[in-house]
Amino acid sequence: MSTALPMSSDETEVAFYDALSRADIEALMALWAEDEEIICIHPGSQRLVGHATIRASYEAIFERGSVHIQPIQLHASRNMITAIHNIIEDVQRTPEMTQDIHILCTNVYIKTALGWRIVLHHASVAPGRGPNELFRASMLH
Amino acid sequence: MSTALPMSSDETEVAFYDALSRADIEALMALWAEDEEIICIHPGSQRLVGHATIRASYEAIFERGSVHIQPIQLHASRNMITAIHNIIEDVQRTPEMTQDIHILCTNVYIKTALGWRIVLHHASVAPGRGPNELFRASMLH
C-alpha cells in the first residue's frame, strides 16, 4: 500500500484487497476508521465489532495464507463524506467447492482527516455463478 | 406507516419492518430512495438492483404472507446525510429449521428532500443463536 492518504473510497478499496492479497495485517487494519463501532462480517460468520476483534479474525485468516479477491461489478452510492459500495467478490473455484457460489459484499467508507476509511465490511455467500459475463464485461471496461 | 416524512433513519427503519409485517408493498417501496442504484440482498439470494426488481422480489415474498422481524442489537454509524445501521433480525424458530441461525443485516439510509430513505438492504444468514441474551437485553432497554 502507498503511504499517501487514500483520496477516494475507490483507492481505499484497492488498498484493502491489496492488503488481503499480501496478508499484510498492519496495512489492512490501518484502512479502518478509528471508531469502535466498525463492523466486519465474513461470509457465513457472526458479526464482529471493533478493532481488536476484527484484527484477530484477519490474523486467523492470514495463518492459512493470503486472500486473493478480485472485486467486480461495483454499484456505488456516494456523497461528500460517505461512500456505499456493493461489489461481487470474484473467488476462484477450488476442487473442494461442490457447487457454484459467489460472494456479495457491502463496503462502507467515510471521509476522515486521515483519508477515506472503512466503517463496515459485510460479505455473504450467494448461490450460482453470479450475474452473467456480458454484464460483467461491460462493467469492467 | 404515518404519512409524515421520516425525520430520522430510525423512523425509516421502524416503518420498513412495519410495512413488512403488514405485507404493504406500497408503503415498503415508498421508503426506498428514488435512485436506480438501490440495492437489496435477501438472505442467501442474488443481488437485486433498482426499484422494479426489488419490488417484484417483495411481491413474491408477500404472496407467502407478511414478514415479522424484530430488529435488535443495532450498531450505527451516522452523519448528517447518511446512516449505516447493522442489526440482527430476530426470526422465530420454526419446525422446519434444523439448526439455529440468525440474520445479520446492513441497512443504509440517506437524507433526501423527502426524508430518510433506504439505499441498501443487505441481509445474510449467520450460524448459531446470535450474541448472548445478556447483551441483547442491555441493548433493548
Side-chain angles (χ1 to χ4, degrees):
Chain A
M1 186 182 72
S2 161
T3 53
L5 298 180
M7 297 303 287
S8 71
S9 54
D10 290 338
E11 283 188 25
T12 303
E13 194 151 86
V14 168
F16 176 72
Y17 289 105
D18 178 61
L20 287 176
S21 74
R22 295 181 292 106
D24 185 336
I25 191 73
E26 299 303 334
L28 184 78
M29 293 312 299
L31 297 169
W32 291 78
E34 291 176 344
D35 182 336
E36 280 311 309
E37 287 291 302
I38 58 174
I39 302 265
C40 181
I41 300 169
H42 298 296
S45 298
Q46 306 233 348
R47 174 170 74 180
L48 307 177
V49 181
H51 275 265
T53 312
I54 293 172
R55 183 187 181 100
S57 75
Y58 280 110
E59 285 173 340
I61 289 168
F62 290 163
E63 283 177 10
R64 303 192 296 272
S66 57
V67 180
H68 298 270
I69 293 169
Q70 181 66 33
I72 58 174
Q73 296 191 25
L74 169 66
H75 281 270
S77 170
R78 298 183 171 98
N79 59 44
M80 293 295 286
I81 48 179
T82 314
I84 320 301
H85 292 205
N86 187 270
I87 56 166
I88 293 175
E89 292 186 341
D90 199 19
V91 287
Q92 298 300 313
R93 183 157 182 167
T94 62
E96 302 89 62
M97 290 166 67
T98 55
Q99 53 190 1
D100 284 322
I101 59 155
H102 60 289
I103 306 285
L104 296 172
C105 181
T106 299
N107 289 327
V108 180
Y109 305 90
I110 56 167
K111 189 176 184 181
T112 75
L114 297 169
W116 286 82
R117 297 287 192 95
I118 307 163
V119 290
L120 178 140
H121 170 75
H122 182 170
S124 63
V125 178
R129 301 190 63 182
N132 68 57
E133 297 299 309
L134 184 63
F135 175 65
R136 173 171 161 179
S138 73
M139 294 293 287
L140 283 171
H141 298 104
Chain B
M1 186 182 70
S2 161
T3 53
L5 298 179
M7 298 303 287
S8 70
S9 55
D10 289 338
E11 284 187 24
T12 303
E13 194 151 87
V14 168
F16 176 73
Y17 290 104
D18 178 60
L20 287 176
S21 74
R22 293 181 294 106
D24 185 337
I25 191 72
E26 300 302 335
L28 185 77
M29 293 313 299
L31 297 169
W32 292 78
E34 291 177 344
D35 181 338
E36 281 311 309
E37 287 291 301
I38 57 173
I39 301 265
C40 180
I41 301 169
H42 297 295
S45 298
Q46 305 232 349
R47 174 171 72 180
L48 307 176
V49 181
H51 276 264
T53 313
I54 293 172
R55 183 187 182 100
S57 76
Y58 280 109
E59 285 173 339
I61 289 169
F62 290 162
E63 283 178 11
R64 302 193 297 272
S66 57
V67 180
H68 298 271
I69 292 168
Q70 180 67 33
I72 58 174
Q73 296 191 24
L74 169 66
H75 282 270
S77 169
R78 297 182 172 97
N79 59 44
M80 292 296 285
I81 49 180
T82 314
I84 320 302
H85 292 204
N86 187 271
I87 55 166
I88 293 174
E89 291 186 341
D90 199 19
V91 286
Q92 298 300 312
R93 183 158 182 167
T94 62
E96 302 88 63
M97 290 166 68
T98 55
Q99 52 190 1
D100 284 322
I101 58 154
H102 60 290
I103 307 285
L104 296 173
C105 181
T106 298
N107 289 327
V108 179
Y109 304 90
I110 58 168
K111 190 176 184 180
T112 76
L114 296 169
W116 287 83
R117 298 287 192 95
I118 306 164
V119 290
L120 177 140
H121 170 75
H122 182 170
S124 63
V125 179
R129 301 191 63 184
N132 67 59
E133 297 298 309
L134 183 62
F135 176 65
R136 172 173 163 178
S138 73
M139 294 291 288
L140 282 171
H141 300 105

